[in-house]
Amino acid sequence: MAQDLGYLKETASQTAGPYVHIGLTPNFCGIGGVYEADLGASMVNDRTLGQRITVTGRVIDGAGMPLKDALVEIWQADAAGLYNSPSERRGAADPNFAGWGRSPTGADDGMFTFETVKPGRVPFHDGRLMAPHISFWIVARGINIGLHTRMYFPDEAAANAADPLLARIEHRHRAETLVAAGRTPNYVFDIHLQGEKETVFLDI
Amino acid sequence: MSGDQSGGENDRPETGAFFARDRAWHPPAFAPGYKSSVLRSPQKALLSLDGTLSEITGPVFGHSMLGELDNDLIHNFAKPGESAIGERIIVHGRVLDERGRPVQDALVEFWQANAGGRYRHRKESYLAALDPNFGGCGRAITDGDGHYCFRTVKPGAYPWPNGVNDWRPAHIHFSIFGHGFAQRLITQMYFEGDPMIWKCPIVGAIPDRRAIEQLIAALDWGNTVPMDARAYKFDIVLRGRRSTFFENRPEGN
């Protein structure tokens, strides 16, 4: 026997369930008057620096049907490649850009929408620059633990070709599942949970 | 959003990558007893990545965003002078990381059904009645000790279309933000002694009994307020971070 390391175990995940919007976007689901606005509904203001972009998409199940009860969150760097986070030690991020957004897919068309800015490049562990990307986190009924993935930009071919994460995808055609469609300033990123077009999900 | 995140000299922001997630402890994506996971679970392996800046950073929320009644579900949707119907309870606990350190300024959001098991949601069709004074959502931010608390009514069990006769145990949904996007977690809290816990396919998706027991809040008699509300204690553990014994620097620098 040796000393006990004394670590705790992480609280186990459970599905967000079909009524996740009650807690996370109450105004969207008709529970007004509790919070002024839904958290993460707005990412930019008039003073936010950088190129404005719109990211839309759907979360699609193994039978090809878009989920209408999912919740999607994104996290990204500002236009200069800095995160608005206490753990960011390289400099101060744009104070007019939180970098985080939340969108339900509860509308009739099952679309999520983010009005944001195009992120700058951020270094990998070894100092190489990663291609511009947005981190995604998806929860819904039927998803037992939140799914992490990343969206890259179709008009950044050279940067994508040198991206350390994309380079690690063994089956090369699957790297395309992380590259959005569309063109500046309107990008479309469909997330396929299962099947032939299955999005690459990350264990981060 | 990041207004009051500056700490003293002694709590410099942490920048280490997170401990790898123990995915044998969490429920797997594919859990056929929970039917809707069948078409919503990835079939290919996850791509593993030691946390980069994109994962070890995350938004931190200031206490100034909170309204006065945000952590009082008995009153935050009620008409003036009225309150929600049901068993009055206080739920409180600490948010810690796997190293046992308190996570301060963690945003904790929660939602639940009313005392009869009815959710305030347009897609909900259960015949139990809505409570006109109960909305079912709340939020809190942990203090310097990692502590949060809220008051609410104890939710009822409710039936759901999975098996022919499946009922969820009484539960409160929790969403937690730590300090890194990789810590993002949604879970459910159950109540000590509820026999329904061990019949539920969503609970049963968790392979390890000890992981299930960690989701069961204990009746906290010490914090029960006489003639007012009983208390339940529910601690939440987020992923720990590696200590930065050695700064991570590119070779040659």
Side-chain angles (χ1 to χ4, degrees):
Chain A
M1 292 292 281
Q3 291 184 9
D4 185 347
L5 287 169
Y7 295 129
L8 303 174
K9 291 298 287 184
E10 187 187 10
T11 298
S13 175
Q14 290 269 263
T15 178
Y19 308 128
V20 58
H21 310 113
I22 293 175
L24 303 190
T25 56
N27 290 292
F28 169 81
C29 80
I31 301 177
V34 181
Y35 309 146
E36 224 166 81
D38 288 339
L39 208 56
S42 164
M43 296 181 69
V44 293
N45 64 37
D46 293 346
R47 288 162 295 165
T48 307
L49 303 173
Q51 184 196 354
R52 299 292 192 280
I53 60 167
T54 302
V55 178
T56 58
R58 296 168 301 163
V59 181
I60 298 161
D61 74 13
M65 200 171 80
L67 274 56
K68 294 183 179 176
D69 53 9
L71 184 99
V72 179
E73 291 184 356
I74 63 171
W75 172 241
Q76 63 166 97
D78 68 10
L82 292 168
Y83 283 103
N84 192 338
S85 164
S87 303
E88 173 61 84
R89 302 277 296 281
R90 298 169 299 149
D94 180 355
N96 291 301
F97 184 64
W100 174 76
R102 176 184 274 171
S103 174
T105 67
D108 289 338
D109 56 3
M111 298 286 274
F112 59 78
T113 303
F114 296 100
E115 304 286 345
T116 182
V117 294
K118 188 167 180 187
R121 296 179 74 172
V122 174
F124 193 62
H125 306 296
D126 56 9
R128 279 184 292 167
L129 289 177
M130 295 188 277
H133 64 273
I134 297 176
S135 297
F136 274 68
W137 187 70
I138 302 112
V139 293
R141 170 175 68 90
I143 296 178
N144 286 320
I145 181 164
L147 295 166
H148 286 275
T149 188
R150 279 187 185 184
M151 182 197 109
Y152 288 85
F153 292 84
D155 37 15
E156 292 282 350
N160 291 346
D163 183 80
L165 180 138
L166 291 175
R168 205 177 273 188
I169 299 172
E170 183 186 357
H171 301 94
R172 296 310 306 155
H173 66 282
R174 297 202 65 216
E176 292 159 22
T177 67
L178 301 188
V179 181
R183 50 188 298 183
T184 183
N186 294 305
Y187 297 98
V188 180
F189 186 51
D190 281 342
I191 296 161
H192 293 266
L193 297 178
Q194 191 184 87
E196 215 148 287
K197 292 189 258 181
E198 185 173 310
T199 301
V200 173
F201 295 105
L202 307 174
D203 181 18
I204 55 172
Chain B
M1 167 177 236
S2 53
D4 47 358
Q5 63 193 218
S6 59
E9 284 296 310
N10 294 326
D11 47 72
R12 267 198 326 160
E14 294 190 282
T15 55
F18 292 101
F19 293 174
R21 212 163 221 164
D22 180 357
R23 289 185 179 266
W25 181 256
H26 289 281
F30 176 71
Y34 174 27
K35 291 183 181 175
S36 47
S37 77
V38 172
L39 282 175
R40 294 180 170 202
S41 45
Q43 294 168 325
K44 298 182 171 66
L46 302 177
L47 179 67
S48 294
L49 178 74
D50 188 32
T52 72
L53 275 164
S54 305
E55 289 79 34
I56 66 172
T57 57
V60 172
F61 302 87
H63 292 257
S64 58
M65 67 173 257
L66 297 178
E68 204 183 331
L69 294 178
D70 279 7
N71 68 340
D72 183 354
L73 281 70
I74 293 180
H75 296 109
N76 69 10
F77 193 77
K79 291 185 262 307
E82 300 187 14
S83 58
I85 291 170
E87 299 178 42
R88 296 163 62 90
I89 59 171
I90 292 162
V91 178
H92 76 108
R94 294 174 74 201
V95 180
L96 306 166
D97 72 14
E98 288 168 298
R99 293 183 299 170
R101 297 188 177 203
V103 182
Q104 68 173 46
D105 295 328
L107 174 67
V108 184
E109 297 166 284
F110 20 86
W111 67 101
Q112 62 170 90
N114 69 21
R118 174 72 188 264
Y119 282 96
R120 186 173 287 279
H121 194 283
R122 65 186 181 285
K123 286 185 181 163
E124 159 75 282
S125 57
Y126 183 31
L127 43 76
L130 281 170
D131 177 346
N133 289 312
F134 187 74
C137 62
R139 60 189 178 187
I141 293 179
T142 58
D143 65 16
D145 205 25
H147 199 258
Y148 73 91
C149 70
F150 61 99
R151 71 172 157 175
T152 185
V153 294
K154 190 175 175 191
Y158 84 101
W160 59 301
N162 187 64
V164 171
N165 189 24
D166 277 341
W167 292 71
R168 297 300 324 282
H171 64 279
I172 300 177
H173 297 265
F174 277 73
S175 162
I176 307 102
F177 273 92
H179 295 172
F181 202 55
Q183 283 178 310
R184 198 75 183 79
L185 182 72
I186 280 184
T187 188
Q188 301 182 29
M189 181 201 105
Y190 305 99
F191 291 86
E192 180 179 1
D194 186 345
M196 308 280 295
I197 294 168
W198 308 103
K199 297 179 185 297
C200 176
I202 289 178
V203 175
I206 299 174
D208 193 315
R209 188 183 172 98
R210 294 166 302 165
I212 296 173
E213 287 167 348
Q214 199 180 339
L215 298 185
I216 303 174
L219 178 62
D220 179 2
W221 206 244
N223 276 300
T224 288
V225 183
M227 306 303 288
D228 182 347
R230 285 174 303 154
Y232 282 88
K233 185 158 190 282
F234 184 58
D235 287 343
I236 296 160
V237 180
L238 301 181
R239 296 166 70 179
R241 274 183 201 264
R242 293 204 298 268
S243 303
T244 43
F245 301 117
F246 303 96
E247 289 286 342
N248 200 0
R249 263 191 314 233
E251 293 296 328
N253 283 13

